[in-house]
Amino acid sequence: MTAPIPSPVWQPAASRVIPIAAPANLRTRGLVPEIVTLSWAPKSSADHFDFSLDLSAILDQTGDHLAAIEQVDIPTASGLPTELTVLWSSVVQGLACIMLGGGSPGEIEQIVVYVVTQQGRRLAPRVELAITAATDATTPTPAPTMPGDIPVPPNAIQLPDGTILTGPGGRPYLIA
């Protein structure tokens, strides 16, 4: 399998990377309750930050690597214009990286990141993110988009004329 390619343009913030650990003992899964709540460092509604998940421990010694983020779901989203919003998502430096903006002050949001690996493994880690009351509720600034409202992550391959190189589905090719 192809190992992650270092991105020359974008570096995920190390302070907002959560390593996803492999289960401690597969034999007792289901017999012993696993109560693990993952959470990123809090952000204010006005912040636009990248948050990442490192799945390398789960994929250790499999020869497998993260291939894509299929979708990011925020089941606690309120429907308001200031709700926590995914501005873009991408595989960057082998991490599942998402850019988030907005959010209701004082709330704890849940984010589910659906990923697929090069060998077809599918994972859906759930993470919590507290929105501090440091600022008022703020409408997120939208990310640059291509036709069809497809967001352009910072590791999209850009041609010299400024256009984004895309694949058959209209999705940008990435340095991932």
Side-chain angles (χ1 to χ4, degrees), residues 108-123:
I108 296 178
E109 303 284 359
Q110 293 182 6
I111 299 104
V112 183
V113 183
Y114 295 88
V115 297
V116 64
T117 69
Q118 293 174 359
Q119 293 179 6
R121 291 177 173 91
R122 286 187 154 61
L123 304 158

Side-chain angles (χ1 to χ4, degrees), residues 12-13 21 23 28 31 48-49 65 67 71-72 78 80 87 94 135 139 143 154 167-168:
T28 61
L31 300 175
H48 290 73
F49 284 149
H65 300 282
Q71 123 186 19
V72 179
S78 62
L80 298 172
L87 304 174
T135 63
T139 302

Side-chain angles (χ1 to χ4, degrees), residues 20-35:
I20 305 295
N25 185 343
L26 293 177
R27 288 180 174 228
T28 61
R29 282 193 80 162
L31 300 175
V32 178
E34 291 183 42
I35 302 172

Side-chain angles (χ1 to χ4, degrees), residues 5-66:
I5 300 169
S7 174
V9 180
W10 182 259
Q11 181 69 28
S15 63
R16 292 185 296 275
V17 175
I18 294 179
I20 305 295
N25 185 343
L26 293 177
R27 288 180 174 228
T28 61
R29 282 193 80 162
L31 300 175
V32 178
E34 291 183 42
I35 302 172
V36 178
T37 302
L38 301 174
S39 61
W40 280 303
K43 74 173 230 38
S44 76
S45 183
D47 293 334
H48 290 73
F49 284 149
D50 60 288
F51 295 89
S52 301
L53 299 174
D54 181 356
L55 295 129
S56 59
I58 292 175
L59 302 175
D60 189 34
Q61 299 185 19
T62 64
D64 201 0
H65 300 282
L66 191 59

Side-chain angles (χ1 to χ4, degrees), residues 75-92:
T76 54
S78 62
L80 298 172
T82 58
E83 75 183 1
L84 186 65
T85 303
V86 177
L87 304 174
W88 56 259
S89 64
S90 183
V91 175
V92 182

